[in-house]
Amino acid sequence: DSDVADRIKAAILASSDIEAELQPILQAHELSQPGYRGRVWIKTTNSDVRIPVHEFILAGRSAAAKRALVEFRQTGRSILSDPLVIESDSAGQVQISCKGMDFMSILNVVYFLYTDNAIDVWRQNKDPQIMPHCRQIRSEVMRIATVLELRTLERAARIMVDPKRSLSGDLDMAIKDESFFDSSDVLIHLDGGSVKAHSQILRQRSPFFAGLFHGRSAGKWLDSRRGDDIINVDLKDIDRNVFDYVLRHMYGDVEEEMFDEVRFRSLDDFIDLILDVMSAANELMIDRLSQVCQKVLGRFGESMCLSLRNWGSLLQ
């Protein structure tokens, strides 16, 4: 939500001690709780405050971070790419340490990961006494963004403009890589196979999953379905290939364009696919995806009517 992101940005810019104000908020957040699956801590050696980040957000936005996290899991060794170090903290959890960076610099990167925006103190603050510090933050943001291959953030800081929107496209591309789902906590059993997913995305994008995970019993009834911290969900009435389109919409916010490259031998087969995706969207209460399917079907209906009218005029 852009309004929420703007309010967070305004509160950060107005704060006189952002670390002190953020620390209790971060500690109380669900993402900071012990045993949370799929979390990465991000910190700077210049501060004791750590920021928890969903691993799938970090890996989805940063191809460099995804590669490093895969290597870290495989080897168990610290991964160094100056000024960043991926390592295990004292509790054995994944932590990324930024050597000698200002806290506002790492906060900027985290804010961008989730919002596609920047806390651009270098543009917002015109106080001559503070400007050198703001230039330092800008330089550090560019440096971290370069290492993490966050090109839109690096470019935005370099030429001092708003970042180009890239979150949806990044996640749509990320789900094509199986390693992206290493941090998943849900296994969905479908007709024809199973897929992994992240409950955080599912419950935000689908009221069906929101109710499943946080209904009246606060998801307690799912405890018996957990295995090795994985929630098993039976949706075997939905075809595995059909669910791929549902995933693209939930993760990458993809709409009509998801059908652009679909090839079938007949129009009937194509329409059947649209109807199957719409049925899945209705079952999972994803209203926007259902509307997209209706729009695509309507477009084909108009084309067919136009063709029939053209044929009719030729026969007259």
Side-chain angles (χ1 to χ4, degrees), residues 53-79:
V53 175
H54 293 97
E55 182 178 328
F56 75 88
I57 287 290
L58 176 61
R61 301 303 308 268
S62 167
K66 181 171 62 177
R67 292 193 300 268
L69 288 167
V70 170
E71 183 181 349
F72 178 74
R73 280 202 188 88
Q74 292 173 344
T75 65
R77 296 194 303 269
S78 298
I79 309 298

Side-chain angles (χ1 to χ4, degrees), residues 119-138:
I119 310 168
D120 46 359
V121 292
W122 49 87
R123 283 202 296 170
Q124 301 292 333
N125 203 312
K126 303 301 181 183
D127 187 336
Q129 294 182 329
I130 302 178
M131 282 305 295
H133 184 213
C134 294
R135 286 194 293 268
Q136 174 196 338
I137 294 171
R138 174 176 168 241

Side-chain angles (χ1 to χ4, degrees), residues 84-99:
L84 309 182
V85 179
I86 298 181
E87 58 192 354
S88 293
D89 65 9
S90 58
Q93 300 174 339
V94 182
Q95 175 175 281
I96 298 179
S97 297
C98 303
K99 185 178 179 181

Side-chain angles (χ1 to χ4, degrees), residues 167-264:
L167 174 58
S168 297
D170 288 345
L171 291 182
D172 184 41
M173 183 65 67
I175 64 175
K176 298 175 183 177
D177 186 340
E178 188 176 345
S179 66
F180 172 72
F181 293 98
D182 286 349
S183 61
S184 64
D185 59 346
V186 178
L187 185 63
I188 303 172
H189 302 278
L190 303 156
D191 181 12
S194 301
V195 297
K196 296 178 180 178
H198 302 89
S199 63
Q200 300 87 355
I201 286 285
L202 299 181
R203 70 192 190 201
Q204 289 293 327
R205 300 288 283 167
S206 162
F208 169 86
F209 283 111
L212 186 69
F213 299 139
H214 294 286
R216 292 183 179 180
S217 63
K220 295 294 184 184
W221 71 279
L222 282 170
D223 289 346
S224 62
R225 297 191 176 202
R226 295 180 187 271
D228 299 324
D229 296 324
I230 296 293
I231 301 171
N232 290 277
V233 178
D234 187 343
L235 288 177
K236 290 182 180 176
D237 59 315
I238 300 177
D239 183 80
R240 167 70 177 79
N241 295 324
V242 168
F243 200 77
D244 284 342
Y245 295 91
V246 177
L247 277 183
R248 286 195 68 190
H249 178 75
M250 286 198 289
Y251 277 88
D253 206 27
V254 186
E255 299 194 345
E256 297 105 297
E257 61 269 25
M258 74 170 69
F259 300 113
D260 289 348
E261 297 179 5
V262 175
R263 297 292 180 267
F264 280 104

Side-chain angles (χ1 to χ4, degrees), residues 19-20 32 79 101 108 135 144 161 172 213 223 247 261 263 267 274 276 284 288 297 307 309:
E19 293 176 58
S32 297
I79 309 298
M101 296 291 178
N108 236 303
R135 286 194 293 268
I144 298 172
V161 295
D172 184 41
F213 299 139
D223 289 346
L247 277 183
E261 297 179 5
R263 297 292 180 267
L267 179 60
I274 306 297
D276 287 342
L284 301 176
R288 181 55 193 162
L297 287 173
S307 297
R309 285 199 297 269

Side-chain angles (χ1 to χ4, degrees), residues 33-60:
Q33 303 314 303
Y36 193 97
R37 182 182 174 89
R39 170 186 57 212
V40 174
W41 293 103
I42 297 182
K43 72 179 297 291
T44 169
T45 55
N46 287 354
S47 173
D48 293 329
V49 181
R50 300 194 301 173
I51 306 175
V53 175
H54 293 97
E55 182 178 328
F56 75 88
I57 287 290
L58 176 61

Side-chain angles (χ1 to χ4, degrees), residues 299-314:
R299 191 170 66 216
F300 276 91
E302 291 173 0
S303 299
M304 291 175 66
C305 289
L306 180 60
S307 297
L308 289 173
R309 285 199 297 269
N310 290 336
W311 275 106
S313 62
L314 290 173

